[in-house]
Amino acid sequence: AQKITQTQPGMFVQEKEAVTLDCTYDTSDPSYGLFWYKQPSSGEMIFLIYQGSYDQQNATEGRYSLNFQKARKSANLVISASQLGDSAMYFCAMREAGGTGGFKTIFGAGTRLFVKA
Amino acid sequence: DTAVSQTPKYLVTQMGNDKSIKCEQNLGHDTMYWYKQDSKKFLKIMFSYNNKELIINETVPNRFSPKSPDKAHLNLHINSLELGDSAVYFCASSQDLSYGEDTEAFFGQGTRLTVV
């Protein structure tokens, strides 16, 4: 079963506007971590922001903020004041117990963001 | 200094060959991973090692054999390569959650494997 769902395969946003990338997750663990990564066309994976399941406040990192709604199991990424360099694939990820004493980070299918000039 | 480095960056080989991809991290992390990213950009975890011990093996054919000589290295050896193995393989590392801190996974730059 899909544990991380990103329902938007592609998104367009006008430069300087804000955009929200959706992510919902499914887990029965009380403790987990949620992450967003950016993958530009060059291919590297760039960490953007992290939210812990027990964090009371939404995480923010510069122009990135995570809209964490625990009861709805959603962790949407908000990018404010979009820039042309924000055009990339964005992956939502969750770290949870791997079932064998370890942990694993699993990824959603990604959302490709296009920023228009 | 590169935090997580993998070599080679590109690998083109014929079907049936055996190849290895090397990964090293200088972050002092306890956990290392291998991920496979297919042509549709889907990232799937393959293996997770913690302090040189295999923790997670996610339904990967046994042609894929990870080796961790020490906690800073996690190499991936692939036997009898098939066309479907063509993908980008990412190595990553993270700090063990048991220390009470949850940190992001740091990724290598990826190895693009093409099997012809």
Side-chain angles (χ1 to χ4, degrees), chain A residues 81-93:
Chain A
S82 297
Q83 302 172 356
L84 295 177
D86 294 335
S87 294
M89 279 288 280
Y90 288 81
F91 291 97
C92 180

Side-chain angles (χ1 to χ4, degrees), chain A residues 98-104, chain B residues 31 47-57:
Chain A
T100 53
F103 296 88
K104 61 180 180 180
Chain B
T31 306
F47 300 103
S48 170
Y49 266 73
N50 180 269
N51 280 314
K52 303 191 300 175
E53 299 293 327
L54 177 65
I55 299 298
I56 292 167
N57 180 343

Side-chain angles (χ1 to χ4, degrees), chain A residues 41-79:
Chain A
S41 57
S42 51
E44 71 267 33
M45 294 289 288
I46 302 168
F47 164 73
L48 296 178
I49 195 166
Y50 160 77
Q51 180 87 41
S53 58
Y54 293 118
D55 292 344
Q56 297 294 317
Q57 292 189 327
N58 287 343
T60 59
E61 287 285 349
R63 293 185 300 110
Y64 305 107
S65 60
L66 201 151
N67 184 358
F68 181 45
Q69 298 187 42
K70 193 170 182 177
R72 297 177 59 185
K73 293 188 175 178
S74 75
N76 298 340
L77 176 71
V78 180
I79 306 175

Side-chain angles (χ1 to χ4, degrees), chain A residues 2 32-35 37 39 42-45 47 50-52 89 91 95 97-109 112, chain B residues 9 31 33 35 37 40-45 48 50 55-56 58 90 93-98 101-109:
Chain A
Q2 187 84 4
Y32 51 89
L34 297 160
F35 305 81
Y37 288 84
Q39 188 177 40
S42 51
E44 71 267 33
M45 294 289 288
F47 164 73
Y50 160 77
Q51 180 87 41
M89 279 288 280
F91 291 97
R95 172 149 336 130
T100 53
F103 296 88
K104 61 180 180 180
T105 301
I106 54 175
F107 287 79
R112 186 170 291 280
Chain B
K9 189 170 181 180
T31 306
Y33 311 83
Y35 287 86
Q37 187 173 40
K40 295 183 178 176
K41 300 295 185 184
F42 188 66
L43 265 164
K44 183 175 178 181
I45 189 169
S48 170
N50 180 269
I55 299 298
I56 292 167
E58 290 279 331
F90 282 97
S93 74
S94 67
Q95 186 58 38
D96 192 336
L97 278 175
S98 65
E101 291 187 7
D102 202 348
T103 66
E104 70 273 23
F106 288 78
F107 283 78
Q109 77 273 31

